[in-house]
């Protein structure tokens, strides 16, 4: 809590205020873990929605490439797949900020949890003795590895769509007689 230089708040009053505001270390740990769980579920929901939208786009892309109509099929397969590719790239780029924001918020709460466990020796000992908790959970390396799939997915799909779009145009241009 920032202090104003002119105020005369004693350390005792400040500690009492913090105790009322934050509660016990156990309550803070529970709060941090609930926030981590909440943000992780948000990240999972965003990743699920993104993957579902990408799967529908892939199906639409494959269907449009398979158009065999003799009158307008060639023009259709030259125009529609690149538009679907553009939509796939844009949706990937649009999904990235939300996924990254959830990842950063999870990182914040993991940091707060780690700092709490390191600043409260008694809490840290109880934490380390419990089989449900371990030091690996509260390190940055542990949770970051768990979230890599969600963080990388938009970039993997953006790359996939760019390559697929280039391939779909090249196939139509290099084989004009088909």
């Amino acid at each position: 809590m920032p202090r104003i230089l002119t105020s005369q708040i004693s350390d005792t009053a400040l500690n009492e205020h913090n105790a009322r505001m934050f509660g016990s270390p156990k309550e803070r740990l529970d709060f941090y873990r609930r926030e981590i769980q909440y943000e992780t579920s948000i990240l999972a929901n965003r990743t699920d929605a993104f993957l579902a939208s990408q799967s529908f786009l892939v199906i639409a892309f494959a269907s449009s490439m398979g158009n065999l109509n003799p009158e307008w099929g060639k023009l259709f397969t030259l125009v529609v797949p690149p538009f679907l590719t553009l939509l796939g790239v844009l949706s990937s780029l649009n999904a990235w900020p939300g996924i990254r924001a959830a990842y950063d918020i999870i990182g914040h709460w993991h940091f707060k949890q780690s700092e709490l466990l390191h600043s409260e020796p008694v809490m840290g000992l109880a934490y380390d003795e419990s089989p449900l908790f371990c030091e690996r959970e509260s390190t940055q390396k542990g949770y970051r590895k768990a979230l890599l799939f969600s963080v990388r997915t938009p970039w993997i799909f953006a790359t996939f769509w760019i390559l697929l779009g280039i391939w779909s145009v090249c196939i139509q241009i290099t084989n004009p007689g088909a």
Side-chain angles (χ1 to χ4, degrees), residues 44-59 91 153 157:
N45 289 339
R46 288 176 181 168
T47 304
D48 288 346
F50 174 70
L51 290 173
S53 70
Q54 294 300 301
S55 67
F56 284 115
L57 278 175
V58 169
I59 292 168
S91 68
T153 300
F157 269 99

Side-chain angles (χ1 to χ4, degrees), residues 25-36 109:
K26 170 73 169 106
E27 289 171 344
R28 280 188 280 170
L29 179 63
D30 290 343
F31 175 75
Y32 296 158
R33 295 193 60 80
R34 279 192 308 271
E35 288 300 310
I36 290 168
W109 290 117

Side-chain angles (χ1 to χ4, degrees), residues 2-20:
R3 291 192 206 180
I4 299 174
L5 294 176
T6 59
S7 69
Q8 298 297 327
I9 299 176
S10 68
D11 287 337
T12 307
L14 186 61
N15 288 338
E16 287 175 13
H17 172 73
N18 286 341
R20 281 193 310 262

Side-chain angles (χ1 to χ4, degrees), residues 28-145:
R28 280 188 280 170
L29 179 63
D30 290 343
F31 175 75
Y32 296 158
R33 295 193 60 80
R34 279 192 308 271
E35 288 300 310
I36 290 168
Q37 182 179 11
Y38 174 73
E39 290 298 331
T40 302
S41 68
I42 287 175
L43 179 63
N45 289 339
R46 288 176 181 168
T47 304
D48 288 346
F50 174 70
L51 290 173
S53 70
Q54 294 300 301
S55 67
F56 284 115
L57 278 175
V58 169
I59 292 168
F61 180 88
S63 298
S64 67
M65 286 298 292
N67 189 337
L68 298 175
N69 188 312
E71 293 177 26
W72 50 271
K74 183 72 173 167
L75 180 62
F76 183 86
T77 56
L78 183 62
V79 174
V80 174
F83 280 125
L84 292 173
T85 297
L86 181 62
L87 183 60
V89 170
L90 291 176
S91 68
S92 296
L93 295 176
N94 194 36
W96 168 248
I99 289 173
R100 182 61 195 203
Y103 175 80
D104 289 340
I105 292 169
I106 292 168
H108 167 76
W109 290 117
H110 269 281
F111 174 76
K112 298 284 280 182
Q113 174 182 276
S114 178
E115 289 299 310
L116 173 66
L117 295 173
H118 286 91
S119 69
E120 297 285 339
V122 175
M123 192 70 185
L125 290 174
Y127 182 83
D128 289 337
E129 291 171 0
S130 175
L132 294 176
F133 304 115
C134 66
E135 183 66 24
R136 184 177 23 163
E137 283 180 345
S138 61
T139 63
Q140 289 185 350
K141 186 178 179 184
Y143 82 87
R144 284 185 177 175
K145 279 186 176 181

